[in-house]
Every structure is written in structure tokens, then in C-alpha cells.
Amino acid sequence: MRSADVVIVGAGIIGAAVARKLAMGGFRVTVLDRGASAGGTSSSGEGNILVSDKGPGAELDLAVLSGRLWTEFAAELGEELGPGFPDLEFEAKGGLVVATMGEGADALLAFASTQRKAGVDARAVTAAEAAELEPDLTPRVEAAVFYPGDAQVQPAVATEALLASARRHGARVRQGVTVLGGVVDRGRLVGVETTAGRFAAGHTVVAAGPWSAEVAAGLGVRLPVLPRRGTVLVTARMPHRVRHKVYDADYVGAVESGDAALQTSSVVESTAAGTVLIGSSRERRGFDERIEAAVVGELAAKAMLLFPFLADVPVMRAYGGFRPFVPDHLPVIGPDPRLPGLWHATGHEGAGIGLAPGTAELIGALMTGAEPEIPAAPYAVTRPSLGLKEETTG
């Protein structure tokens, strides 16, 4: 039997960030994943680090904290891992949100106003100023808001970098290990049973993304995390013609919606490698992995409304992934009083890359009894909006 202070179930960006934080704090950490590290949601996103799509409240608070920490992470990891490690491709490029219709313009400007009151740098810009920021942008701009705080990172590399750093601080990472159930002693979770045997731990953190409900159920609690499918297109390499993260004003509504049906909005950005990423779609259809022509067509059509030059650019590939959706659109972070010893760090939907550092800070503070930088109560598993009673499934 192996033993650790903390077992983390999931080697994606959230599990990696939590592992690094706890290992640096002196905890003996073991990370378990039934697949490869960064092999799930973390490798199928765009690497968004956004404040622009979040209204005032708990998620924005977590995004602002995480955005600051990502700047620190990029510097720390680069120095710690050295030039031989792949570049995180961290770019504090800023984001530009564009409305091409009058109806959307009013909603965009009103939304930005609420964000400014919450302390976000959300700069309304004219169509001419938007054209200076993005010379190839459509001239059909009714309103635009620039967010200097938006950034981007290469998500798979960032995950591996955090895990590498965690290992340097003593963490162990085990791939190809499936958690089968929990080990409970006198009402407390004291470890997990796995395909590689038993792992004893004083704390078990479920950070399994869209598969967290399945893991939690195996440990004896109900967790309302569902998979929400997303698709991204990748163009051939080209000279950089998209300077910022640019998306249409419909994106915020799609993010906040709980509708299971297909929703698409235009999100366009360049990568350091010279490709252009085109998203975004959202739909809840379980773990169906098919990429459908209708979704690809909608994404391409909407992207061309923002950047007409994309009509002549070949699409190299399309990929999809599952995001951990929670009905009230807030991640679940912290201890689970229904089963002492169990913790959650999941439910970030498409914002997990951006929110990973803040999530790790919250877990680290709560596990050591320190005062978190932001209130932890809004992310608690027992918050009223989730409707979970303080009882186990068993």
C-alpha cells in the first residue's frame, strides 16, 4: 500500500496546479490519472485566460486572481524548468470583443460597464480604434471593448510544466491508474482503491474534469458535473494577422447558457506556432466524440464574419473535447463535508486553464487553514444553488 498526504485524481491543468501548490507547501502528493497527463480536457482547449467573458461575482474574482498568478507562473516555471523545457507560449495579448449588430452592441457595452464597476479594465473602443488593434477585422463594427487582461497559454505544455515542477518538489505522478472506489474508516475517506492497488491519503482531491461525477460516485457522493462538448478548428500556418483574442459578443451568452442544444459563437486567435484557432461551440450530448460537419460549418462561417480573409485560409484540422459543466456555472472547489477527507477541484467548464492557479491557491489555503485571498464559500459543494444535501450516495 502506498501512502501520501494528498492523492489527486486527475492529471489535467487543475490537478497539476493543485499538485504543485501542495507539494511546494510540504505535502506528500500523489497524482493519479487513468490516462496520460493532459490527455483529456486540458489538451483540447484554446488555452484561454480570460476576464472578458465573466460578469461581476465569484467567477470573475477567481479569474482576476488567476490572471495575476498566471503572469507569475510563466516567469517562475520558465526559470525553474530552464530553456530545455518547451515554451509555455504565455502571451498577455489582450482580448477584443466585437458586436456587429446594434442589438448586441448595447448589451456588450452594458456588460462592460458592470465589469468596470467590479475593477476590470474594460475599454470601450471606436470602430476606428478596433481597426487599429486588428487591421483585418470586419468594418461592420457597431461596438467593441478591449480587455488588456486577457491572455493565452499553450494548455498541454502548461499542464506538463506544472506537473514537472510538482515532481521537482516531491510529487509523484502515476499514469494509467484508474480509481475504483474509496477507502473509508469511521466515516472518513482515508484513501482510494485503484487498478494499481490501494493508495492511502489523508486527503483525496477529485480533479477529473468532466469525469469528476463518475469518480465522486465511486467514492460515495453525488456531484452534478456533466460533459459539455466543444469543437475547435485549426488553420494552416500563416503570417500573424490576428493580433489579439477576438470574439463576437454572442460568446458571453453562450458561456453563461445552460442550454443543452448546440450553440456557436466566433472566437478567433493566433498561436505562437502561426496557426489560427477558431471556436467556439457548446452542447451537452454526453461523451459523444463525433465531430460533425454542421458544427464545423457554423464555426467557419461565424469566424469569417469577424475576419473575412479567413475565407481563403485552409483548415488543417478540427478537434473536440469535453468541458466539466456545472448547472450554476461555478466550479466546485474545497472540502466535501458529506465525506471528510474528500475534496473537489472541478466544474470549471471551458475556463479551467485560466482558473487553475486561483483554484490551487484556494485548495492550498483551505487545506492548511490559511485565509484565502478570495472568499471560498461561493465554490463550496454544499452551496444552495447545487441543491446537494449533506449526505453520501451510500
Side-chain angles (χ1 to χ4, degrees):
M1 179 176 66
R2 298 94 169 157
S3 64
D5 297 321
V6 184
V7 163
I8 298 172
V9 185
I13 191 79
I14 299 296
V18 172
R20 178 178 187 260
K21 177 66 178 179
L22 296 180
M24 290 178 70
F27 286 88
R28 293 178 301 131
V29 177
T30 297
V31 182
L32 306 176
D33 199 296
R34 66 183 180 185
S37 55
T41 302
S42 298
S43 63
S44 59
E46 298 157 281
N48 292 336
I49 303 171
L50 304 181
V51 295
S52 54
D53 62 341
K54 299 169 182 65
E59 191 180 23
L60 180 59
D61 293 342
L62 189 60
V64 171
L65 170 61
S66 295
R68 189 193 81 222
L69 292 173
W70 260 121
T71 302
E72 297 174 9
F73 273 26
E76 291 171 359
L77 291 169
E79 182 177 345
E80 180 182 354
L81 301 177
F85 201 90
D87 186 7
L88 269 64
E89 299 179 15
F90 176 78
E91 293 184 84
K93 60 171 65 175
L96 183 66
V97 186
V98 177
T100 57
M101 295 181 293
E103 180 179 297
D106 294 340
L108 171 60
L109 295 175
F111 181 73
S113 176
T114 66
Q115 290 178 301
R116 282 193 294 273
K117 292 175 183 176
V120 173
D121 189 353
R123 308 175 187 178
V125 296
T126 65
E129 290 169 330
E132 289 182 12
L133 290 167
E134 292 289 346
D136 288 306
L137 184 68
T138 176
R140 296 175 53 196
V141 175
E142 293 291 332
V145 179
F146 179 59
Y147 292 85
D150 281 359
Q152 183 181 9
V153 72
Q154 211 296 331
V157 174
T159 302
E160 294 293 357
L162 290 167
L163 287 173
S165 176
R167 286 190 185 97
R168 290 170 67 94
H169 290 90
R172 294 180 296 171
V173 180
R174 294 286 304 273
Q175 301 179 10
V177 177
T178 301
V179 172
L180 303 174
V183 181
V184 179
D185 181 25
R186 287 173 287 187
R188 182 178 180 86
L189 184 65
V190 295
V192 293
E193 297 283 4
T194 79
T195 51
R198 178 175 292 185
F199 289 79
H203 307 280
T204 298
V205 182
V206 175
W211 297 274
S212 292
E214 175 187 334
V215 174
L219 300 177
V221 300
R222 185 169 69 87
L223 194 64
V225 176
L226 299 169
R228 203 178 192 193
R229 173 77 171 169
T231 301
V232 176
L233 310 184
V234 185
T235 73
R237 288 183 174 86
M238 69 179 87
H240 279 253
R241 296 181 67 178
V242 182
R243 301 177 178 180
H244 307 84
K245 184 181 296 289
V246 182
Y247 59 87
D248 68 48
D250 290 339
Y251 178 75
V252 174
V255 169
E256 295 181 343
S257 171
D259 198 332
L262 174 65
Q263 300 172 73
T264 60
S265 55
S266 186
V267 183
V268 183
E269 62 191 311
S270 294
T271 69
T275 61
V276 172
L277 303 181
I278 297 172
S280 94
S281 69
R282 282 173 164 76
E283 58 182 325
R284 294 209 318 271
R285 60 184 201 192
F287 286 103
D288 184 347
E289 296 183 345
R290 293 174 298 173
I291 294 178
E292 298 175 335
V295 177
V296 172
E298 280 196 36
L299 293 178
K302 289 190 174 183
M304 287 185 289
L305 292 177
L306 284 180
F307 290 99
F309 81 88
L310 289 172
D312 299 320
V313 175
V315 171
M316 184 169 61
R317 65 188 179 96
Y319 64 90
F322 302 104
R323 300 152 177 159
F325 169 84
V326 176
D328 67 356
H329 299 287
L330 275 180
V332 182
I333 305 169
D336 193 328
R338 300 171 297 173
L339 182 58
L342 175 62
W343 295 68
H344 301 290
T346 187
H348 301 75
E349 203 181 324
I353 304 299
L355 301 181
T359 299
E361 284 294 309
L362 277 176
I363 293 288
L366 294 171
M367 201 169 283
T368 58
E371 184 69 26
E373 286 196 45
I374 58 175
Y379 317 100
V381 68
T382 52
R383 61 187 185 252
S385 55
L386 292 187
L388 296 177
K389 297 179 180 179
E390 293 195 12
E391 59 184 23
T392 64
T393 58

